[in-house]
Amino acid sequence: MAKAFKPQVVTANDLIEGDSVFLARSGWVRDIAEARVARTAEEADLLLEAGVVAEAENTVVGPYLVEVGLETGAPVPLLRRERIRAEGGPTFAYAPEGIARAA
Amino acid sequence: MYRYDEFDAAFVAERTQQFRTQVKRRLAGELTEAEFKPLRLMNGVYLQLHAYMLRIAIPYGTLRPDQMRMLAHIAERWDRGYGHFTTRQNIQFNWPKLKDVPDILDALASVEMHAIQTSGNCIRNTTSDPYAGVAPEEIEDPRITAELIRQWSSLHPEFTFLGRKFKIAVTGSEHDRAAIKIHDIGIQIVRGPDGAPGYRVLVGGGLGRSPFIAKELRGFLPKADLLPYLEAALRVYNLHGRRDNKYKARIKILVHELGIEEYARQVEAEFARMDRAAVAAPAEEVARIAAYFALPELPARDTEADAAETRRMAAMEPEFAAWLEQNTAPHRVPGYRAVTVSLKPIGGAPGDATAEQMRVMADVAEHHSAGELRITHEQNVVLPHVAEGALFKVWRALRAEGLDTANKGLVTDIIACPGLDYCALATARSIPVAQDIANRFAEPRRQREIGPLSIKISGCINACGHHHVGHIGILGIDKAGVESYQITLGGDATETASLGDRTGPGFGYDEVPGVIERVVDTYIALREPGETFLAAYRRLGMAPFKEALYADH
Ligand code: SF4
């Protein structure tokens, strides 16, 4: 049996800044809540294609599809790796504030 | 200390200029990512989960105060106010923007630093003993050899595009603080039959997917033969080394498959055949380099008065006494000590330092350590030349910035790679695991009671956290979307190197601190007086630990 389709968004890294970005209705955004969600395999193909075009136009690097859950309304990646990327930083208080606190 | 000559300076300037043009072309869309990636990697620029990452070379881990201050400046100006010191004795910045990298490289070049040989399939920066030139039992400063290797390997046309990365480490002491047995080539300075120093050469060590402890390639190599011999060893590897399968391309696999005898036979044959004189370093050049590494002039001290004063302060300040005991080591010059600045505050990210902390370390080094700092593969910083009489002052200065944790070599001195919080290759988190374990064992007295214990954590099979050679190793993997941690016991990165043994099935993220505690408690219950964790494990074997971990599972 074919694997059931799960909603997906397209992510990549911004060319200049390097941070995680998500394909939205118009252009790329930092906040995954604004990402366009593909609800069918066909939509996912189209979204990824748009990502590939953006890479060719040198806006982003390495676009790919990420499976998301929509239980809270906004897309939340199913994989921890992607959740961490979507958060935009480490899962702990990092420096300098984090280091100062630890010290 | 070694300073770049004009050739180095011109080379670095040229490379930086070249990269500036490449970045410009990339940003203008003239280079695709596929074209640009190998170029950025040659300049230490990776693309990680949240940002680009810049890895900066710190040859053999040695830094001057002005260089450390420049790292602080870079952290503040172009990053987020901190940097991460790694198990490769270098530093990584986690947040640079691509457009800023050329400026960062220019800033580095202004203090004779760069990011060359920190990535890609080349001979990487040679690592060494953080107590180089300091350790009383040392035969010779290993950095002279490391620098010779740097110069020989930097632009070597034959070895710029190897099958895989290639790592060399050098120690000048019997006690191995440079982990030479887990490097592609490990070099130990030893005395030959006539008492003159030469080299013992090991080959084929490495961690990652297929871990191996290095084997002896040559028991004694006269000093003058070093570079020709390395060239022969690399050439044989380069001829045979597989390029079709990156998992099989490291020299450890070749040595394993050919067998050390056959590999050694081929190296010796190549060595006998080649024009050795053309490769060997001229004696004047070796002498020139050696002069740079001469022990700095350390003013003679009234050692008795210094020691008395230090004892007096230690009696008054128990925390200073604990730090003195744990974080300082003997120096070859009477009246001096090597100080380890722990970058492992309880609950912190191992190896991270803020710009302010870097400046404080630079200042202390300038005033109290003959202007030298060393980065250790254990992700700490060493101030190699501190007068005993200045120790209290140094401790107070470090303390003001939270750099006084008295845990060198103890259970909370945890080595951890960036893991899933930063690294694009990671399968699990490692830093938060280290933080949870450190919090569990935070009580200083308990740490001292446990004694020497190294915990090393990697967030994937690439083993940047050296987990195979931790007394307790932790490897985070992904098991059907869930982080799972495999535990190994009995690893050792020193002259008595060994790979840890797997305890059994892995554990969940939240279970790890409790699991480590059960391992430690089992050791405490079964140890003989004065017996370290490693010694106890070697005597007892896995059985009691397995019992403690899995009996009720
Ligand atoms: S061990 Fe894996 S997760 Fe950790 S830094 Fe290396 S590649 Fe990244």
Side-chain angles (χ1 to χ4, degrees):
Chain A
M1 206 176 81
K3 207 175 131 203
F5 180 82
K6 296 204 177 106
Q8 299 180 351
V9 301
V10 170
T11 186
N13 287 81
D14 182 74
L15 170 65
I16 299 175
E17 310 250 325
D19 50 354
S20 319
V21 289
F22 301 90
L23 187 58
R25 233 155 246 300
S26 56
W28 296 82
V29 293
R30 263 74 181 163
D31 184 357
I32 192 171
E34 295 168 29
R36 257 177 87 174
V37 180
R39 288 162 201 274
T40 65
E42 293 70 37
E43 277 179 28
D45 286 347
L46 282 176
L47 269 194
L48 184 58
E49 222 166 88
V52 171
V53 169
E55 179 168 48
E57 289 168 349
N58 291 304
T59 321
V60 298
V61 183
Y64 60 96
L65 288 162
V66 168
E67 291 184 339
V68 294
L70 298 168
E71 290 73 21
T72 58
V76 176
L78 301 183
L79 287 182
R80 179 181 307 279
R81 177 187 201 271
E82 296 308 325
R83 285 200 295 279
I84 292 175
R85 280 185 75 249
E87 283 298 318
T91 58
F92 53 89
Y94 60 99
E97 298 74 22
I99 295 176
R101 201 173 315 152
Chain B
M1 218 157 106
Y2 185 76
R3 295 191 72 104
Y4 274 22
D5 60 18
E6 280 164 28
F7 169 77
D8 285 317
F11 172 65
V12 169
E14 190 189 319
R15 272 287 285 271
T16 307
Q17 188 47 44
Q18 214 175 43
F19 191 57
R20 183 177 287 282
T21 311
Q22 289 159 350
V23 168
K24 215 166 159 183
R25 293 184 59 207
R26 174 72 182 114
L27 294 176
E30 292 165 25
L31 290 175
T32 65
E33 179 61 13
E35 290 163 335
F36 180 65
K37 189 174 171 185
L39 304 174
R40 69 169 159 75
L41 285 177
M42 278 172 73
N43 290 283
V45 181
Y46 289 71
L47 184 53
Q48 295 287 37
L49 285 188
H50 310 292
Y52 289 97
M53 179 267 277
L54 177 63
R55 185 181 291 157
I56 294 164
I58 302 177
Y60 26 86
T62 297
L63 271 181
R64 302 189 309 256
D66 62 318
Q67 294 174 319
M68 186 66 120
R69 282 189 198 108
M70 182 54 80
L71 296 177
H73 172 69
I74 290 169
E76 269 171 357
R77 168 111 195 250
W78 291 293
D79 205 88
R80 296 196 179 173
Y82 71 106
H84 175 72
F85 290 100
T86 81
T87 55
R88 294 278 308 144
Q89 293 184 297
N90 55 28
I91 185 168
Q92 295 178 176
F93 286 110
N94 293 309
W95 307 95
K97 298 183 183 6
L98 184 56
K99 66 176 171 45
D100 294 333
V101 173
D103 289 344
I104 301 176
L105 294 182
D106 273 345
L108 286 170
S110 74
V111 290
E112 298 163 337
M113 291 181 81
H114 57 76
I116 298 165
Q117 282 176 288
T118 61
S119 58
N121 294 336
C122 59
I123 301 176
R124 301 284 185 92
N125 281 287
T126 301
T127 51
S128 187
D129 182 355
Y131 295 162
V134 171
E137 82 281 11
E138 182 177 274
I139 294 174
E140 183 185 282
D141 192 324
R143 294 173 303 168
I144 302 165
T145 300
E147 175 55 26
L148 263 176
I149 295 171
R150 187 192 72 78
Q151 296 190 6
W152 160 78
S153 66
S154 269
L155 287 170
H156 202 300
E158 197 176 330
F159 307 137
T160 310
F161 296 99
L162 292 168
R164 282 286 270 145
K165 57 189 167 184
F166 200 95
K167 299 174 182 173
I168 304 176
V170 191
T171 174
S173 298
E174 170 80 40
H175 179 42
D176 178 11
R177 285 168 293 257
I180 65 167
K181 290 189 174 173
I182 58 167
H183 283 74
D184 295 289
I185 286 186
I187 298 173
Q188 181 190 353
I189 300 172
V190 292
R191 289 201 188 281
D194 60 353
Y199 301 110
R200 175 174 175 240
V201 183
L202 309 175
V203 70
L207 303 178
R209 192 173 297 265
S210 322
F212 286 101
I213 298 296
K215 299 169 184 78
E216 187 175 288
L217 180 60
R218 192 46 122 85
F220 184 80
L221 182 73
K223 272 181 85 174
D225 287 338
L226 176 74
L227 297 183
Y229 196 76
L230 288 181
E231 187 138 331
L234 263 290
R235 190 167 292 153
V236 171
Y237 160 61
N238 215 14
L239 285 175
H240 283 293
R242 291 180 57 163
R243 284 162 201 268
D244 58 327
N245 179 342
K246 78 175 204 175
Y247 300 122
K248 300 206 162 178
R250 296 289 290 264
I251 194 171
K252 60 187 176 184
I253 306 288
L254 177 70
V255 171
H256 179 66
E257 288 181 352
L258 275 184
I260 183 69
E261 294 77 18
E262 176 56 18
Y263 174 73
R265 191 192 64 72
Q266 294 191 21
V267 171
E268 295 294 341
E270 176 60 29
F271 181 63
R273 182 180 326 134
M274 71 195 291
D275 179 0
R276 301 206 285 260
V279 182
E284 326 65 90
E285 177 58 13
V286 179
R288 190 185 74 89
I289 294 172
Y292 280 115
F293 292 105
L295 191 67
E297 263 190 42
L298 300 173
R301 310 270 311 188
D302 181 342
T303 51
E304 270 175 36
D306 274 5
E309 175 63 8
T310 304
R311 272 198 305 276
R312 195 175 68 82
M313 297 318 296
M316 279 165 53
E317 285 269 12
E319 289 182 48
F320 171 60
W323 178 84
L324 198 60
E325 164 82 23
Q326 206 58 48
N327 287 38
T328 73
H331 196 288
R332 65 189 334 154
V333 176
Y336 284 82
R337 309 266 306 163
V339 165
T340 295
V341 182
S342 168
L343 298 184
K344 318 290 176 62
I346 304 301
D352 277 10
T354 64
E356 208 35 53
Q357 289 177 327
M358 292 180 208
R359 285 201 188 94
V360 166
M361 289 188 275
D363 290 349
V364 173
E366 186 155 293
H367 295 117
H368 300 291
S369 180
E372 256 193 65
L373 304 118
R374 313 274 176 83
I375 310 304
T376 80
H377 77 81
E378 277 144 353
Q379 302 178 285
N380 290 318
V381 175
V382 164
L383 303 168
H385 311 291
V386 181
E388 216 173 314
L391 284 169
F392 185 69
K393 227 175 174 176
V394 164
W395 175 73
R396 270 217 317 233
L398 295 173
R399 188 175 173 80
E401 272 305 315
L403 291 167
D404 61 323
T405 315
N407 62 351
K408 182 192 179 295
L410 298 179
V411 56
T412 57
D413 186 5
I414 301 172
I415 284 119
C417 78
L420 194 54
D421 285 284
Y422 292 101
C423 176
L425 301 173
T427 43
R429 285 170 291 169
S430 45
I431 293 171
V433 174
Q435 293 173 323
D436 289 348
I437 297 171
N439 283 323
R440 179 74 65 120
F441 290 98
E443 221 275 297
R445 217 184 54 194
R446 185 176 181 204
Q447 293 182 46
R448 287 199 296 277
E449 272 167 19
I450 296 167
L453 178 54
S454 86
I455 298 182
K456 299 182 191 255
I457 312 177
S458 305
C460 84
I461 192 70
N462 287 324
C464 303
H466 298 175
H467 63 277
H468 300 102
V469 289
H471 299 158
I472 300 178
I474 303 176
L475 165 64
I477 59 169
D478 176 87
K479 227 172 155 187
V482 180
E483 290 163 307
S484 173
Y485 293 85
Q486 297 177 348
I487 310 293
T488 49
L489 303 179
D492 175 6
T494 70
E495 64 278 14
T496 48
S498 56
L499 300 171
D501 308 312
R502 277 266 299 279
T503 57
F507 298 91
Y509 176 87
D510 293 326
E511 292 177 294
V512 176
V515 163
I516 302 306
E517 194 159 41
R518 263 181 283 156
V519 169
V520 170
D521 287 349
T522 305
Y523 152 66
I524 301 274
L526 298 175
R527 72 177 168 190
E528 290 176 346
E531 194 177 40
T532 62
F533 176 86
L534 187 60
Y537 176 77
R538 285 177 174 167
R539 175 176 61 83
L540 294 161
M542 180 61 85
F545 296 98
K546 224 179 169 114
E547 168 76 19
L549 292 184
Y550 299 102
D552 51 1
H553 247 233

